[in-house]
Amino acid sequence: MRDHWWWRPGARPGRRMLLWHLLVDDQPDVRALAGRFRERLAGVGGLDPVPDEWLHLTTQIVGFADEIPRDEVKAMTSAVAESFRTLPPVTARIGRLYFYEEGVALGVEPERALDPVRDAIRRGVAQTVTAHQLDDQPDWTPHLSVAYCNTDGPAEPIFEALADPPEPCRLTVRWAYLVEQVRDGHLYRWDTVAAVPLTG
């Protein structure tokens, strides 16, 4: 495993980013499942658990907030809302154990179930935002992180703690959220800029 908390290019303390997230504030089963994973990982060192309040599926990084004018933000939100008018809510399963080098997450099945949501967001960004970061993230594996690594080290303790992981549950995506996010120590916090419903 690798420390998650390195500074990405252009990032610095206090600099805010615009991102589209899928949130689970209205889905108690998903939050409870994340809690069960956190409980299993409680005895493993080198991990920063993600509190319920900040659980999210990062769907698209747009760019640094100080590089994107407010009129472009408004136009982007409108473009995404227009695309969502033909897109109904999407239901999938979440909870498949998903390891990546910098953390532990809940994966989504089918893996491509949420692609239409992301595709609609990316179209809206491409149409309206000049200083976007779409080219940096052509691929996407949807996941909800339950803990980030804060040091480099072996993965074996995590494997052992999650040898018998909790059962997955249902995830229903009804909204996408444009947020202005900042890194606060070993935590991501944000303010919601817009909440856009899938209304198809």
Side-chain angles (χ1 to χ4, degrees), residues 4-195:
H4 173 77
W5 302 110
W6 56 281
W7 290 103
R8 278 66 176 172
R12 59 177 180 268
R15 193 177 194 192
R16 301 176 76 86
M17 294 197 74
L18 284 172
L19 306 93
W20 286 92
H21 281 336
L22 307 179
L23 304 180
V24 296
D25 298 350
D26 61 342
Q27 301 194 56
D29 288 348
V30 178
R31 291 158 67 104
L33 179 61
R36 288 193 287 275
F37 272 83
R38 289 192 300 258
E39 289 172 2
R40 302 279 182 94
L41 295 168
V44 180
L47 294 176
D48 295 312
V50 180
D52 277 355
E53 182 181 4
W54 305 112
L55 291 170
H56 63 282
L57 293 87
T58 299
T59 306
Q60 182 60 55
I61 296 174
V62 180
F64 292 108
D66 56 19
E67 294 180 348
I68 303 174
R70 290 292 109 178
D71 61 336
E72 291 189 359
V73 174
K74 184 177 180 180
M76 170 180 57
T77 304
S78 297
V80 172
E82 182 65 29
S83 292
F84 279 5
R85 285 179 185 167
T86 59
L87 189 63
V90 179
T91 296
R93 284 174 64 78
I94 189 167
R96 176 181 60 84
L97 187 57
Y98 176 71
F99 282 103
Y100 59 106
E101 288 184 337
E102 298 179 359
V104 183
L106 310 183
V108 173
E109 295 177 312
E111 190 172 289
R112 306 266 63 90
L114 304 181
D115 280 4
V117 180
R118 186 176 192 249
D119 292 344
I121 289 171
R122 285 173 65 85
R123 286 196 302 273
V125 175
Q127 293 167 7
T128 57
V129 176
T130 304
H132 62 66
Q133 297 190 11
L134 295 179
D135 292 342
D136 294 339
Q137 302 145 348
D139 301 316
W140 182 54
T141 300
H143 62 276
L144 184 147
S145 293
V146 294
Y148 295 110
C149 295
N150 59 34
T151 188
D152 297 345
E156 283 75 10
I158 296 173
F159 292 145
E160 292 172 3
L162 296 174
D164 182 24
E167 285 294 314
C169 69
R170 186 169 68 175
L171 166 74
T172 299
V173 175
R174 300 181 180 90
W175 298 78
Y177 297 82
L178 178 65
V179 305
E180 195 170 289
Q181 179 172 288
V182 66
R183 176 174 149 186
D184 180 7
H186 285 189
L187 189 67
Y188 293 114
R189 301 178 182 271
W190 57 78
D191 297 309
T192 298
V193 177

